[in-house]
């Protein structure tokens, strides 16, 4: 039986090459494995044109572990983080900051509007205690794209430091050290880089990391400690996710062979356009206005006036080889369809087909 297509980014669909890269066991002390880690980290720093200014600190765990590590390590104990929230991942950043006992404030833009840089400027002017700003580049709970360049400009003009959760955009949408002012970009192995889940990483300005001594409330999530150990020994501090690193190294090689970031973005844009076109033909409505939609994940309104049941719809679509994602909105019934992963026109076509059949079978035509 063929594996289902995962439109649940992420985990997402990976290539056979990436999967087979995991068929070898690596010793965590071994120089071959250390070289693999070093190569991955160098490639990731080059992705933001950060050489000489930024370092890559890899971290075991899912993406949230890396967000928590970045906030805990970079925010001084007497610092204050302003979180720009328009969905679940912004709320999560605020929650993990509160849980570690750090001062923070949230501007909540709702679930349908992008972050408004003017309101950020006003908030920064009104509260001199704010030292750092946290923003979600693509808010994956809806698929909304936030205006990163404008936010970065406002934060820099106010003399504050920016931390970017770019989990679901990194590797596809541009984030360049020469064009934006930021201290850290956080992402993970299993989204636009098309690796498997198990590690996050923080691309952090070396001067900001060097100033992070004594900040982290956590041992295992202390980025500075992780970095120093890596510097000194070439090894991960504590057991590395060896197979995940090997898969990410293979995924990054394919990324370069396929044409790098511009090619990745172009494929995802084509996937997203195919998906939106197909949904429209079926009478389904996207949740976001087209100008707010990142080519990462599409939130779709449940068909109006039907006996909508996501579990049944999910099962009917899965029976045709496609795995969808539930909605993550509090106010309206939605479901989500990812357009990232090792997928292209054929898989998007299969997804539309599976959705069409499921709507038919369940009598859910809008
Ligand atoms: C995926 C994602 C995360 C991390 O989620 P994990 O489930 O911990 O990997 C954080 N922020 C955004 C915007 C994401 O898309």
């Amino acid at each position: 039986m063929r594996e289902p297509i995962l439109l649940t980014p992420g985990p997402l669909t990976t290539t056979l090459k990436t999967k087979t890269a995991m068929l070898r066991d690596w010793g965590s002390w071994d120089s071959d494995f250390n070289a693999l880690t070093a190569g991955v980290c160098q490639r990731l720093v080059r992705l933001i044109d950060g050489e000489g200014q930024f370092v890559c600190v890899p971290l075991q765990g899912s993406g949230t572990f890396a967000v928590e590590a970045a906030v805990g390590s970079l925010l001084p104990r007497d610092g204050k983080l302003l979180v720009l929230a328009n969905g679940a991942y912004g709320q999560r950043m605020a929650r993990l900051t509160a849980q570690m006992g750090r001062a923070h404030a949230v501007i909540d833009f709702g679930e349908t509007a992008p972050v408004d840089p003017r309101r950020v400027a006003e908030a920064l002017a009104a509260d001199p205690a704010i030292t750092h700003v946290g923003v979600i580049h693509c808010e994956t709970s809806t698929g909304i794209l936030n205006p990163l360049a404008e936010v970065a400009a406002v934060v820099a003009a106010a003399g504050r430091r920016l931390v970017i959760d770019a989990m679901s955009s990194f590797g596809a949408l541009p984030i360049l050290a020469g064009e934006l002012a930021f201290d850290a970009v956080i992402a993970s192995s299993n989204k636009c880089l098309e690796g498997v889940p198990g590690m996050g990483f923080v691309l952090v300005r070396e001067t900001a990391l060097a100033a992070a001594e004594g900040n982290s409330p956590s041992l295992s999530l202390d980025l500075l400690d992780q970095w120093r150990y890596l510097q000194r020994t070439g090894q991960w501090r504590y057991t590395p996710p060896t197979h995940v690193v090997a898969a990410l190294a293979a995924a990054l090689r394919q990324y370069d062979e396929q044409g790098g970031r511009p090619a990745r973005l172009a494929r995802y844009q084509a996937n997203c356009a195919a998906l939106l076109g197909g949904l429209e033909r079926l009478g389904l409505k996207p949740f976001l206005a087209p100008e707010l939609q990142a080519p990462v994940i599409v939130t779709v309104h449940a068909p109006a006036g039907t006996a909508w049941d996501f579990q049944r719809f999910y099962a009917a679509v899965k029976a045709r080889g496609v795995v969808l994602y539930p909605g993550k909105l509090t106010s309206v019934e939605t479901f989500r369809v990812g357009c990232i992963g090792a997928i292209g026109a054929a898989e998007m076509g299969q997804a539309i087909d599976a959705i069409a059949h499921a709507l038919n079978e369940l009598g859910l035509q809008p």
Side-chain angles (χ1 to χ4, degrees):
M1 236 179 71
R2 279 188 65 186
E3 293 176 52
I5 299 164
L6 296 187
L7 303 181
T8 59
L12 40 64
T13 297
T14 61
T15 65
L16 187 61
K17 257 189 192 166
T18 298
K19 284 188 264 277
T20 51
M22 292 185 285
L23 293 178
R24 169 175 167 187
D25 300 318
W26 301 79
S28 62
W29 277 70
D30 195 84
S31 61
D32 290 345
F33 180 70
N34 295 345
L36 204 62
T37 299
V40 164
C41 286
Q42 276 162 20
R43 182 66 192 94
L44 295 174
V45 171
R46 270 203 290 128
L47 248 161
I48 60 164
D49 283 349
E51 299 101 311
Q53 277 191 295
F54 284 80
V55 298
C56 171
V57 187
L59 195 72
Q60 299 91 333
S62 85
T64 305
F65 292 58
V67 177
E68 193 157 342
V71 171
S73 302
L74 298 179
L75 191 66
R77 298 220 169 196
D78 59 356
K80 181 171 181 179
L81 180 71
L82 175 66
V83 180
L84 312 178
N86 53 350
Y89 291 103
Q91 297 299 343
R92 187 182 296 177
M93 188 189 277
R95 184 171 170 204
L96 61 85
T97 307
Q99 190 147 333
M100 63 179 89
R102 296 293 158 86
H104 75 287
V106 182
I107 312 181
D108 188 344
F109 296 90
E111 288 175 320
T112 54
V115 166
D116 176 358
R118 276 174 317 176
R119 282 184 62 195
V120 180
E122 285 163 17
L124 294 177
D127 187 352
I130 294 167
T131 54
H132 289 68
V133 176
V135 68
I136 316 296
H137 189 196
C138 167
E139 178 44 84
T140 324
S141 52
T142 54
I144 209 166
L145 185 63
N146 282 314
L148 186 58
E150 290 80 355
V151 169
V154 157
V155 173
R160 318 300 169 82
R161 322 298 305 181
L162 183 65
V163 173
I164 306 166
D165 172 351
M167 208 70 63
S168 63
S169 55
F170 186 84
L173 295 166
I175 303 171
L176 296 171
E179 293 177 1
L180 300 179
F182 56 83
D183 272 0
V185 176
I186 310 153
S188 68
S189 50
N190 60 287
K191 290 193 177 168
C192 299
L193 299 176
E194 300 181 1
V196 303
M199 65 173 277
F201 53 87
V202 185
L203 302 173
V204 54
R205 188 177 291 280
E206 199 164 1
T207 50
L209 186 60
E213 184 80 55
N215 284 351
S216 179
S218 158
L219 172 65
S220 53
L221 299 180
D222 186 341
L223 280 189
L224 181 58
D225 207 43
Q226 178 90 331
W227 167 240
R228 283 187 174 150
Y229 192 85
L230 190 66
Q231 282 276 83
R232 203 168 63 243
T233 63
Q235 297 163 22
W236 293 57
R237 195 190 51 152
Y238 318 143
T239 304
T242 47
H243 299 74
V244 177
V245 179
L248 183 56
L252 285 167
R253 265 196 307 279
Q254 294 163 76
Y255 180 83
D256 287 330
E257 285 160 11
Q258 291 165 10
R261 197 196 58 73
R264 186 67 40 111
L265 178 61
R267 176 157 56 84
Y268 291 170
Q269 281 170 332
N271 287 351
C272 190
L275 185 60
L276 288 168
L279 293 169
E280 194 185 342
R281 285 195 299 280
L282 299 177
L284 293 170
K285 290 194 173 46
F287 174 74
L288 292 175
E291 66 275 14
L292 302 180
Q293 176 70 60
V296 172
I297 186 166
V298 175
T299 299
V300 188
H301 282 288
T306 64
W308 175 251
D309 176 347
F310 177 74
Q311 289 303 338
R312 290 184 66 213
F313 178 65
Y314 174 93
V317 174
K318 189 181 166 193
R320 294 181 177 272
V322 177
V323 177
L324 301 179
Y325 222 24
K328 212 171 179 149
L329 291 168
T330 43
S331 49
V332 272
E333 280 285 9
T334 55
F335 66 94
R336 289 178 295 167
V337 190
C339 31
I340 64 176
I343 51 175
E347 287 78 12
M348 296 328 284
Q350 186 179 335
I352 293 296
D353 242 42
I355 290 171
H357 276 99
L359 292 176
N360 246 324
E361 254 167 61
L362 302 176
L364 291 173
Q365 275 87 356

